[in-house]
Amino acid sequence: MEKLYCTIYIVDISQNPEEEEAVTSRIQQLIEDHGGIIQRINRWGKKRLAYPIQKKTHGYYVEIEFTAKSVLNIPAILEQEYRVNDRVLRYLTYVVDKKELIQRAKKAGKKAEKEAPAAEKKETPAAPEAPAAEAPAAEPEAPQVTEPAEGENPPVAETEAPVTEEAQEAAQENEEKKEEK
Amino acid sequence: MLRWKKKRICRFCEAGDVYIDFRDEKRLVRFLTEQGKIVPRRTSGNCAQHQRQLAKAIKRARHLALIPFVSDIPR
Ligand SMILES: [Zn+2]
């Protein structure tokens, strides 16, 4: 049966920042060589780890989505590689289920709605076709961006700042505990 | 006094969520105690389905070091 898989791994780039590319191309090759089709590669980038892994505090997160027949057993092949590769700090491979896809579609739909709520109300009776939702989304955005763009920026910074602080605090506490052990 | 919150509302049902994503660590953290434990259903008010999903999401997020296993100042 054809399945959609998602694999996420953390690469240690503390010694060599190019390590990530090497690992990613290797994984990519493994998937393709064994009959999988890569759907999407999403690089989350360098992130702080919530707790140290192999004494590393940061890691580079990469997410690859691919489809493959379940008989090919690609997750097991990937696991072998992850285990051998000492640049990979953590990995997770799982089958993406329907609920996740539904939620993603919902999220995408909500975003489109938020961006064009005023325009949709006016245009829905006139044009109930599918492309109508996309077209008005582009129109009202242009005039809005010029003015409230500045007003929108500060809250973004605000929400981001406390999160990183919290994460750092949590990590510090974590380290303290480990030391005492 | 013991009844901290009488309302039994599942926030995920309220939001109409079908799936709880482990990538959304900011959201998961709200269902953790200060020590990093999963908040019980009787406290959070989550329904059974969503609590199970949440637990799975939290465990995946922990594994990928998105949220801590323990975050506690000892003693
Ligand atoms: Zn619920």
Side-chain angles (χ1 to χ4, degrees), chain A residues 6 8 10 44 47 49-51 53 61 63 90-92 94 99-100 103 106 110 173-174 177 180, chain B residues 15-19 22-23 25 53 60 62-75:
Chain A
C6 180
I8 301 171
I10 309 172
W44 299 3
K47 272 171 75 100
L49 304 173
Y51 51 87
I53 302 173
Y61 284 71
E63 178 186 17
R90 274 294 152 90
Y91 57 89
L92 172 71
Y94 69 99
K99 283 185 178 175
E100 182 168 354
Q103 187 68 29
K106 253 190 179 180
K110 266 187 198 168
E173 282 170 350
N174 205 7
K177 182 159 190 182
E180 213 162 287
Chain B
D17 286 347
V18 196
Y19 174 80
F22 62 90
R23 283 158 259 240
E25 73 233 47
Q53 276 191 12
R60 280 180 175 173
R62 279 178 182 161
H63 176 72
L64 288 172
L66 298 172
I67 55 175
F69 277 98
V70 279
S71 56
D72 193 321
I73 309 144
R75 236 163 300 134

Side-chain angles (χ1 to χ4, degrees), chain A residues 33-180:
Chain A
D33 284 357
H34 289 85
I37 302 151
I38 290 174
Q39 303 292 338
R40 188 166 67 103
I41 299 182
N42 188 6
R43 277 165 235 257
W44 299 3
K46 194 182 173 189
K47 272 171 75 100
R48 195 194 166 91
L49 304 173
Y51 51 87
I53 302 173
Q54 290 168 30
K55 296 186 180 169
K56 310 292 188 313
T57 54
H58 293 266
Y60 198 100
Y61 284 71
V62 184
E63 178 186 17
I64 299 177
E65 262 181 29
F66 61 96
T67 46
K69 286 197 176 122
S70 51
V71 282
L72 296 170
N73 211 3
I74 291 184
I77 295 159
L78 292 181
E79 174 149 3
Q80 266 184 2
E81 169 63 23
Y82 287 142
R83 282 183 165 196
V84 172
N85 198 326
D86 57 355
R87 291 280 147 256
V88 176
L89 296 174
R90 274 294 152 90
Y91 57 89
L92 172 71
T93 308
Y94 69 99
V95 177
V96 180
D97 66 10
K98 273 182 214 155
K99 283 185 178 175
E100 182 168 354
L101 295 175
I102 294 167
Q103 187 68 29
R104 273 188 214 172
K106 253 190 179 180
K107 230 181 171 181
K110 266 187 198 168
K111 245 188 186 177
E113 257 181 60
K114 264 188 194 172
E115 276 167 30
E120 251 183 66
K121 272 177 199 165
K122 284 179 202 165
E123 302 222 8
T124 34
E129 290 156 320
E134 273 183 305
E139 278 170 43
E141 235 188 304
Q144 270 175 7
V145 166
T146 45
E147 279 175 59
E150 281 167 49
E152 263 179 283
N153 279 341
V156 171
E158 261 177 67
T159 47
E160 260 177 345
V163 169
T164 45
E165 265 175 50
E166 268 174 49
Q168 277 177 349
E169 262 177 57
Q172 272 178 355
E173 282 170 350
N174 205 7
E175 276 166 34
E176 278 169 46
K177 182 159 190 182
K178 282 247 166 94
E179 272 170 37
E180 213 162 287

Side-chain angles (χ1 to χ4, degrees), chain B residues 2-73:
Chain B
L2 279 171
R3 267 176 261 144
W4 174 64
K5 221 180 185 183
K6 212 184 171 186
K7 288 181 266 177
R8 277 293 111 87
I9 35 117
C10 172
R11 293 185 202 201
F12 296 103
C13 283
E14 243 184 344
D17 286 347
V18 196
Y19 174 80
I20 302 168
D21 196 358
F22 62 90
R23 283 158 259 240
D24 194 357
E25 73 233 47
K26 285 176 205 162
R27 197 154 180 219
L28 298 182
V29 167
R30 285 197 231 143
F31 295 93
L32 297 177
T33 66
E34 277 172 55
Q35 299 113 64
K37 289 182 174 185
I38 300 173
V39 171
R41 198 152 85 219
R42 62 173 179 271
T43 318
S44 62
N46 287 345
C47 70
Q49 288 90 322
H50 280 124
Q51 182 72 6
R52 271 200 301 275
Q53 276 191 12
L54 177 70
K56 195 172 183 182
I58 288 172
K59 284 166 189 177
R60 280 180 175 173
R62 279 178 182 161
H63 176 72
L64 288 172
L66 298 172
I67 55 175
F69 277 98
V70 279
S71 56
D72 193 321
I73 309 144

